[in-house]
Amino acid sequence: MKLIKLLIITIIVFSSSFSYAVLEISVVKKDEKPIKIAINKFKLFDEDIASIIKDNLNRSGNFYAIITDKFTSKSDANYLKNNNIEAILSGSIEKESENIYQLFISLYDVYNKEALFNKSIKLHTSGFRKAAHQLSDDIYESLLGTKGFFNTLLTYILIKNNEKGEKEYILNVADSDANNVKSSLRLKSAILSPAWSPGESYEDKKISYVSFENGRSEVFIWHPYVRRKIEKLPNFEGIASSPSWHPNGKELLLTLSKNGNSDIYSYNLINKKLTRITYD
C-alpha cells in the first residue's frame, strides 16, 4: 500500500478557550500500476509547462510521467511498449506578439495508435500556469475517464510573526500545487475554517471563514477577486463555527454552540433569515 502524508495547517478545538493542533492524515491508496506517460520538452522562459504537467500528474498517484525527447508518436511501437510508455504528450510554443503566444498540444495513445486530442491555445504570458493545470485536467480525463482537479484553487491559513514580532494569521489563495500565491488576507486574530463558495468564474468565488477579530467567534465572507468590502454575518447568540456553502451560493450552513449544545443552522444571505436545522 502507498501512504501519502498530508499536513493540515490549522485545526480548532472549541472550549472555554481555543487551542491549535497539527493533524497528520495518512491516505491509503491501492498499489495499482500507474500509467506511464512521456512528455516531450517544451517551455518558455521560466514557465516550464511540461514540468508543471509532469508534477501534477505524478502528484495524483495515477501516473508516472517523465520528461524526455526520446519518444514521439512516430517512434517504433514495440520500442514504446517495451519501455512501458502508454501515452505521449507533445507540445510547441510560437510567439505571436510581445506577450501573446500560441500553444500546440497533442496527446497520443500508444496502444490504440491514435491521437486522443490535439489542442491549440492562445494565451498571455501571465496565463501559462493556468494553461498547464487545464491541460493536466484534459490528460487526466482523456486517460482515466474522470474529471481532473488540477485547475482548481487552494486556500490555507498561515500563522507567522511579522517584523514587529506580532503574530499574524494569513489567509492565502494559491493554485492546486500551492504555487502562484496571492490575495492574502492578514489579521492579528485567529482565522479558521475557510470554505469556497460555488461559482463558475473567479469573480463569482467567495470565501467564508471564522475570525475572532472582534473578540468573539464570528463568520465573515471575503471576495478575493473583487474589490468589495468584507461582509460579516450578524452576531448570533453562541459560538459560530464551521461555515459551509449551499450549492446555490445563497445560503451558509454553520454551527452555533450555546447553552452547552451545538446545532446546525442555515443562514440565508438574501433575506437574512436564520433557520435551525438540527435539534439534538
Side-chain angles (χ1 to χ4, degrees):
M1 309 294 284
K2 294 180 179 178
L3 296 181
I4 304 172
K5 295 183 178 179
L6 304 177
L7 183 64
I8 306 301
I9 303 298
T10 308
I11 302 298
I12 187 71
V13 178
F14 283 105
S15 58
S16 57
S17 61
F18 58 89
S19 59
Y20 300 98
V22 175
L23 174 66
E24 184 179 272
I25 299 178
S26 294
V27 181
V28 181
K29 180 183 179 299
K30 291 183 178 179
D31 191 15
E32 298 174 348
K33 185 178 180 181
I35 297 174
K36 191 171 183 180
I37 176 172
I39 302 174
N40 289 318
K41 297 177 182 178
F42 57 99
K43 64 179 294 185
L44 179 72
F45 308 130
D46 295 328
E47 296 289 359
D48 191 340
I49 297 178
S51 291
I52 296 172
I53 294 174
K54 173 185 73 81
D55 292 342
N56 281 342
L57 297 178
N58 288 341
R59 193 166 53 251
S60 75
N62 294 299
F63 295 89
Y64 174 60
I66 59 172
I67 295 180
T68 179
D69 53 7
K70 295 180 180 179
F71 307 117
T72 68
S73 60
K74 297 180 181 179
S75 300
D76 180 73
N78 291 327
Y79 181 68
L80 292 170
K81 292 177 182 178
N82 289 338
N83 284 275
N84 299 315
I85 303 295
E86 298 184 48
I88 301 170
L89 181 71
S90 300
S92 63
I93 302 171
E94 294 181 3
K95 186 174 182 178
E96 290 198 350
S97 61
E98 183 177 359
N99 294 311
I100 303 299
Y101 290 80
Q102 193 77 24
L103 177 62
F104 302 93
I105 296 291
S106 176
L107 181 65
Y108 180 75
D109 185 330
V110 172
Y111 286 87
N112 291 322
K113 298 181 180 180
E114 63 180 8
L116 295 176
F117 65 69
N118 292 290
K119 294 181 179 292
S120 176
I121 305 171
K122 183 178 292 188
L123 69 164
H124 190 271
T125 49
S126 62
F128 273 86
R129 292 196 63 85
K130 182 174 176 61
H133 292 315
Q134 183 57 57
L135 287 168
S136 300
D137 282 345
D138 295 338
I139 296 166
Y140 192 95
E141 186 169 4
S142 295
L143 295 176
L144 296 179
T146 57
K147 190 175 181 180
F149 49 85
F150 306 110
N151 193 25
T152 57
L153 296 172
L154 171 71
T155 184
Y156 61 93
I157 299 161
L158 183 67
I159 305 173
K160 62 184 295 185
N161 291 330
N162 61 20
E163 295 177 353
K164 298 180 180 179
E166 301 169 329
K167 184 176 290 185
E168 278 190 333
Y169 298 82
I170 306 169
L171 182 58
N172 280 337
V173 175
D175 291 350
S176 63
D177 58 0
N179 284 290
N180 196 27
V181 180
K182 55 186 176 183
S183 302
S184 296
L185 175 67
R186 295 173 178 264
L187 297 176
K188 293 183 179 180
S189 58
I191 304 174
L192 312 166
S193 307
W196 286 100
S197 71
E200 295 298 325
S201 66
Y202 282 161
E203 290 74 18
D204 295 332
K205 293 289 187 182
K206 300 181 285 288
I207 298 176
S208 61
Y209 64 92
V210 174
S211 173
F212 291 80
E213 60 185 286
N214 296 320
R216 66 193 307 271
S217 176
E218 296 175 313
V219 177
F220 296 81
I221 299 175
W222 176 42
H223 303 258
Y225 294 100
V226 179
R227 289 183 177 273
R228 186 171 171 180
K229 186 178 179 181
I230 293 176
E231 304 172 48
K232 185 179 79 67
L233 269 60
N235 292 330
F236 303 118
E237 181 184 354
I239 299 173
S241 63
S242 306
S244 178
W245 290 90
H246 188 285
N248 63 20
K250 300 176 182 178
E251 298 173 61
L252 270 176
L253 291 182
L254 64 151
T255 298
L256 288 179
S257 304
K258 52 187 177 181
N259 302 321
N261 182 65
S262 299
D263 275 300
I264 300 173
Y265 291 75
S266 174
Y267 181 72
N268 190 301
L269 298 169
I270 306 301
N271 61 25
K272 314 300 182 184
K273 182 179 179 181
L274 181 69
T275 303
R276 186 173 178 176
I277 303 298
T278 63
Y279 293 80
D280 198 358

